[in-house]
Amino acid sequence: MAKNNEEGSWKPQTVAVTPPNETTALTLKWPWGPLIHQDGATHPTTFVNPIG
């Protein structure tokens, strides 16, 4: 997670979630805050651990 308006951050509009034992993703609005942009990472992707 990033702070609001932090340089290099972005705020998703939606998140795709595939529930356990399912093959179809659900698309939900992103109610959480901004994330750190991971372009410079060794494996450039943003990962989110289980929430809730």
Side-chain angles (χ1 to χ4, degrees):
M1 301 298 289
K3 295 178 183 173
N4 284 330
N5 301 317
E6 184 175 339
E7 185 177 342
S9 68
W10 63 288
K11 185 174 181 190
Q13 296 296 312
T14 60
V15 59
V17 178
T18 305
N21 302 317
E22 296 291 334
T23 57
T24 303
L26 304 172
T27 301
L28 307 169
K29 288 183 180 180
W30 180 263
W32 304 282
L35 300 171
I36 300 284
H37 209 295
Q38 300 289 318
D39 276 354
T42 303
H43 301 284
T45 302
T46 298
F47 295 94
V48 179
N49 290 326
I51 299 173

